[in-house]
Amino acid sequence: MTLIRWILGIIILSLDFLTRPKSMKRDPNTQNKINEITKNMSLYQYKACPFCVKVRRKLRKYSLNIELKDAKNNNTNKNDLKTLGGKLKVPCLRIENNKSDIQWLYESKDIINFLENKLQLTNN
Ligand SMILES: N[C@@H](CCC(=O)N[C@@H](CS)C(=O)NCC(=O)O)C(=O)O
């Protein structure tokens, strides 16, 4: 089972690498504004999880600088996701609106929709 999972992981990562989208280019001003918004976000994820790959491809496509947190091998990240986020499931986007308002957004589709709406990405 572990071997099959490992092989699937390699296939997913290879396909992702071979077909990854180009990063969009923005004028520096607009990119800085977007960076300012995304600096308070981080993505809890596993390297070879297909749902995480789907979200990471969007981050690349839209040139979003969002910190990636490995929730598989890093125990602090894993515990944070489980205890603060509510469940050990990836991908999960942590959005820190302010110190006392932190949102943990699960589901790849919801994460992508949130980013596209928040950053008006489809219009850029
Ligand atoms: N519908 C979810 C599926 C996410 C999912 O199944 N993630 C797996 C890793 S590939 C996971 O976190 N499994 C752990 C668990 O469900 O406890 C999405 O699109 O984000």
Side-chain angles (χ1 to χ4, degrees), residues 28-44:
N29 235 355
T30 312
Q31 184 65 50
N32 284 343
K33 278 184 193 153
I34 289 187
N35 290 347
E36 198 51 40
I37 300 172
T38 57
K39 79 172 187 211
N40 296 327
M41 299 178 189
S42 47
L43 184 74
Y44 286 70

Side-chain angles (χ1 to χ4, degrees), residues 3-27:
L3 180 67
I4 294 173
R5 217 177 287 155
W6 184 79
I7 293 170
L8 277 177
I10 299 281
I11 293 172
I12 288 168
L13 290 176
S14 306
L15 283 176
D16 173 43
F17 181 77
L18 292 172
T19 65
R20 63 196 178 148
K22 254 187 162 172
S23 297
M24 67 188 288
K25 296 263 174 288
R26 301 185 176 88
D27 68 272

Side-chain angles (χ1 to χ4, degrees), residues 46 48-52 54 88-91 106-109:
Y46 299 163
C49 154
F51 305 98
C52 302
K54 183 170 99 177
L88 185 57
K89 192 168 187 181
V90 291
Y106 289 88
E107 289 298 321
S108 53
K109 202 160 126 280

Side-chain angles (χ1 to χ4, degrees), residues 77-98:
N77 293 343
K78 195 189 270 190
N79 283 339
D80 285 351
L81 181 60
K82 201 170 165 183
T83 56
L84 304 173
K87 53 188 169 182
L88 185 57
K89 192 168 187 181
V90 291
C92 177
L93 185 69
R94 180 184 184 275
I95 309 145
E96 185 171 328
N97 298 312
N98 60 56

